[in-house]
Amino acid sequence: MIIFALFTFLLLNVNLGVSYQLNETEHENTTTNSPSTSVGPDDVLSVGLPGVGNGAPLDTGGLGPVFSNAPSQPETKLASHEPEPVCQLYRGQRCSQFVGNKSVYIQPGVTQAILETKLNAAFVVISQSNDLSLGCEKYALPSLCYTAYPVCRDDTSLPPRRICRQDCDLLENELCQLEYALAKKHPLIGRQLEMPECTNLPAVGSPGSEDCLQLGMPQPEPVNKDEKCFWGVGENYRGDLSVAVSGRPCIQWRRQMFIKTSQHTSLMGGHSYCRNPGGVESRPFCYTEKGTTPEFC
């Protein structure tokens, strides 16, 4: 009975994290039921686990001592060493007419030698292409160079200078619409070199657009909204009428494939106003969604 009471008392003290020193009498009464390792009169009974240390056990409602996990070590984060773009003085030949003696922006993993090799192959294709109009050729070359080699600013913490967005839009959608579509799919041009994405360029009037790289392209002619009449065949009409006599609305000139907008600045700018480029018809006209023939306005 004494042994049972003592065992219960010790178990309760162990669960409560209390150390208890045995006296000689209790030691003698428990040696018959203790493990082979004896506990001396001056020993202190404590609870511990190998490799964990002697910490206070958690209260588990009398189910025995349960220890929390060892405290986790703070995670060590390695410093990032990802390569960054650099500004280098242009040393090539192919684009020297456009970026010669300028500091150009080079992406990680790319060298000027790699870019020059790709540009040389692309320029050979362009020079031998029968699909490239004369009006497009002189703008296609600087476009590729400025895209491959953006020009660094004096303050290198700022983004580099890139093609003007309005020039990019005219190039892709009007002056070189067909050529641009073909170039994007060509294995030596669009699949090797980065083609300019107009929507990613700074919009007109936004930061970064004030010193953008111009291609020297012809600009759209201004619209005179007060012009309500035309003279002769209306070759010089620059009003804003955009409805055919049928009542159908005109589509943008860049969406029709019968007249090259690159040859007529009056059709540039993404508008749908009635025009008579070159006086080809007897009065201003436009194209609509319903037909492939021009409709008078």
Side-chain angles (χ1 to χ4, degrees), residues 154-173:
D154 293 336
D155 184 354
T156 55
S157 65
L158 297 175
R161 297 169 58 200
R162 299 184 184 274
I163 298 174
C164 296
R165 183 167 179 168
Q166 63 269 32
D167 284 5
C168 179
D169 183 68
L170 288 173
L171 184 74
E172 179 177 1
N173 297 307

Side-chain angles (χ1 to χ4, degrees), residues 138-185:
K138 59 182 179 181
Y139 305 118
L141 302 184
S143 172
L144 287 176
C145 284
Y146 285 145
T147 303
Y149 296 113
V151 177
C152 294
R153 290 185 169 88
D154 293 336
D155 184 354
T156 55
S157 65
L158 297 175
R161 297 169 58 200
R162 299 184 184 274
I163 298 174
C164 296
R165 183 167 179 168
Q166 63 269 32
D167 284 5
C168 179
D169 183 68
L170 288 173
L171 184 74
E172 179 177 1
N173 297 307
E174 298 190 38
L175 289 181
C176 303
Q177 189 174 20
L178 175 61
E179 294 89 341
Y180 201 93
L182 294 174
K184 272 193 169 182
K185 299 179 181 180

Side-chain angles (χ1 to χ4, degrees), residues 167-221:
D167 284 5
C168 179
D169 183 68
L170 288 173
L171 184 74
E172 179 177 1
N173 297 307
E174 298 190 38
L175 289 181
C176 303
Q177 189 174 20
L178 175 61
E179 294 89 341
Y180 201 93
L182 294 174
K184 272 193 169 182
K185 299 179 181 180
H186 198 282
L188 295 179
I189 303 178
R191 296 182 183 178
Q192 292 294 327
L193 292 168
E194 180 184 356
M195 300 289 288
E197 292 291 341
C198 303
T199 55
N200 294 336
L201 298 172
V204 178
S206 66
S209 66
E210 66 281 354
D211 59 348
C212 59
L213 303 174
Q214 297 183 357
L215 301 178
M217 302 174 64
Q219 297 301 307
E221 295 184 12

Side-chain angles (χ1 to χ4, degrees), residues 25-98:
T25 304
E26 290 166 340
H27 173 64
E28 291 173 357
N29 290 335
T30 57
T31 51
T32 58
N33 295 327
S34 64
S36 58
T37 302
S38 62
V39 181
D42 296 327
D43 291 336
V44 176
L45 181 63
S46 61
V47 180
L49 292 177
V52 176
N54 296 329
L58 301 177
D59 184 6
T60 61
L63 296 179
V66 178
F67 290 84
S68 61
N69 293 331
S72 59
Q73 297 297 324
E75 182 181 354
T76 302
K77 294 184 178 180
L78 299 177
S80 175
H81 297 289
E82 295 182 359
E84 297 181 353
V86 297
C87 289
Q88 300 175 345
L89 183 66
Y90 178 71
R91 297 184 176 85
Q93 295 293 327
R94 177 56 65 181
C95 295
S96 59
Q97 179 182 353
F98 310 108

